[in-house]
Amino acid sequence: MTMIFENDQPVSKEARGSVAVLGNFDGVHRGHVYLLQQLRAQCPNLPLSVITFEPHPRQLFFKEDAPFRLTNAKERNAALTEQGVDFIFQINFTPEFSSLSAHDFVHQILHEHLGVAHIACGECFAFGKGRSGNIDYLSSETQSLGIGLTVVKPLQDENGNISSTRIRHLLKEGQPVQAAELLGRVWSIQAIVQHGDKRGRTIGFPTANLSLGEHVEPKCGVYAVKIALPDGQIRIGVANVGYRPTFTQESECRLEVHLFDFDQDIYGQELKVWLHAFIRAEKRFSGLEELKEQIVKDALDAKEFFNTLK
């Protein structure tokens, strides 16, 4: 079971002396997994840990940006747990922490507080106030403290480095299948079911309404989805990502999920929704009847997609 240490929480004796990978790990994609594997292979007899930051530094420095995350903290930590990480050191990325010098990050955080024996990072890792700490500086400082260092080149495919940025772009372009190839799994969102206007029930397609929150906004449109219920059941369904232009234009993008052959009250419960395939772009309809006809077609398309996987 992975242990998570947050902020200034004292690090247990068993967690000290670990080998640690530094990074934001948004998405925990194939490139991140490769980095973990490289360190595990190099130091197989020491516990494996991740040093990450919450919120994502970009959320502090670029507050005006649209939500961009592939995974929130809970989802990221769950994905790291699945990769066999023993300890997660989740550092609170505040304005005060961002002003910490590169020297103090290495000496106070890595050495004194976390007590790491060896660290690994990507070639472009930068740290400290103003990103003043680079790989050369990290190498010099860790060597003086007796901390090992491994710098790993990024994992690539025929189109370049596998990165969170590429995956975000694919999702925004309505290409969840290609995004899944880089992630190593189908992209998903976990969120609480909220009350909506219940209009879907009037046309025979009740939906569970979910807020995207800090997640990146995929291309607006209809998707074939799988849904995990709180009791562990996995269902299939069809979902719409968007602003519902047929009715009053919404100010917030929402994920509306219709579960096939399901009619239970799940308000206030947390669902996990996997976006498997893009069916069509969002469009405006003349009214409820035209919308209903299209949803029937969308549902058939989603069912057909999952039938082809059998």
Side-chain angles (χ1 to χ4, degrees):
M1 181 67 180
T2 302
M3 292 185 64
I4 301 173
F5 297 90
E6 298 185 26
N7 306 332
D8 296 327
Q9 183 180 353
V11 174
S12 64
K13 183 178 179 180
E14 62 182 329
R16 298 183 70 83
S18 69
V19 295
V21 184
L22 290 157
N24 294 309
F25 282 85
D26 186 28
V28 192
H29 53 64
R30 285 174 51 208
H32 294 139
V33 172
Y34 174 74
L35 187 55
L36 291 168
Q37 291 172 339
Q38 293 301 300
L39 186 54
R40 181 184 286 119
Q42 187 174 355
C43 307
N45 299 319
L46 292 174
L48 179 64
S49 65
V50 162
I51 301 171
T52 190
F53 310 96
E54 189 62 34
H56 192 294
R58 181 169 154 184
Q59 290 174 265
L60 178 66
F61 293 122
F62 303 100
K63 293 181 179 179
E64 70 282 359
D65 284 3
F68 66 91
R69 293 184 66 158
L70 296 171
T71 47
N72 59 30
K74 181 179 179 179
E75 294 162 341
R76 178 199 62 211
N77 293 345
L80 289 172
T81 298
E82 289 180 2
Q83 292 303 320
V85 171
D86 297 297
F87 305 105
I88 298 172
F89 302 120
Q90 183 173 291
I91 296 173
N92 190 12
F93 199 87
T94 62
E96 293 73 24
F97 179 81
S98 70
S99 66
L100 196 69
S101 69
H103 175 276
D104 287 348
F105 176 74
V106 175
H107 287 256
Q108 294 181 13
I109 304 300
L110 299 183
H111 181 55
E112 296 175 15
H113 181 54
L114 302 180
V116 296
H118 193 110
I119 58 173
C121 61
E123 293 179 316
C124 297
F125 183 74
F127 59 99
K129 185 178 180 179
R131 295 173 62 85
S132 59
N134 57 22
I135 295 298
D136 288 339
Y137 181 81
L138 185 61
S139 176
S140 173
E141 292 301 302
T142 52
Q143 185 175 6
S144 72
L145 295 169
I147 299 173
L149 173 65
T150 299
V151 180
V152 181
K153 291 184 178 181
L155 183 65
Q156 296 183 324
D157 63 9
E158 63 275 11
N159 295 313
N161 295 347
I162 293 176
S163 67
S164 302
T165 299
R166 278 184 63 192
I167 296 167
R168 292 184 194 109
H169 177 74
L170 288 169
L171 291 171
K172 290 178 180 180
E173 292 296 312
Q175 300 183 62
V177 174
Q178 292 86 342
E181 292 175 358
L182 301 188
L183 272 169
R185 65 187 187 284
V186 177
W187 185 66
S188 63
I189 293 175
Q190 286 179 240
I192 303 295
V193 179
Q194 303 175 343
H195 283 278
D197 55 23
K198 298 180 175 61
R199 186 177 276 114
R201 290 189 176 277
T202 66
I203 56 175
F205 288 93
T207 59
N209 295 277
L210 309 173
S211 171
L212 293 177
E214 57 188 329
H215 291 95
V216 64
E217 182 181 308
K219 182 175 182 178
C220 290
V222 176
Y223 293 80
V225 298
K226 282 188 178 179
I227 308 99
L229 296 170
D231 63 4
Q233 286 188 67
I234 303 294
R235 310 296 290 253
I236 63 171
V238 64
N240 183 76
V241 174
Y243 297 86
R244 306 199 307 166
T246 301
F247 309 108
T248 303
Q249 185 79 9
E250 300 283 347
S251 59
E252 177 190 4
C253 185
R254 293 194 295 176
L255 173 63
E256 296 181 291
V257 184
H258 172 68
L259 291 75
F260 298 145
D261 305 314
F262 183 85
D263 188 20
Q264 297 179 24
D265 184 352
I266 52 174
Y267 291 120
Q269 298 185 43
E270 185 176 62
L271 302 185
K272 184 173 184 177
V273 182
W274 291 270
L275 270 61
H276 276 264
F278 184 77
I279 294 176
R280 65 167 177 83
E282 186 175 50
K283 59 181 291 188
R284 183 184 180 91
F285 296 96
S286 61
L288 280 175
E289 282 305 312
E290 186 182 10
L291 173 61
K292 181 179 179 179
E293 290 176 6
Q294 183 62 58
I295 294 177
V296 170
K297 294 177 183 177
D298 295 338
L300 290 173
D301 287 341
K303 289 177 181 178
E304 179 60 28
F305 169 78
F306 286 115
N307 283 335
T308 63
L309 299 181
K310 294 180 179 179

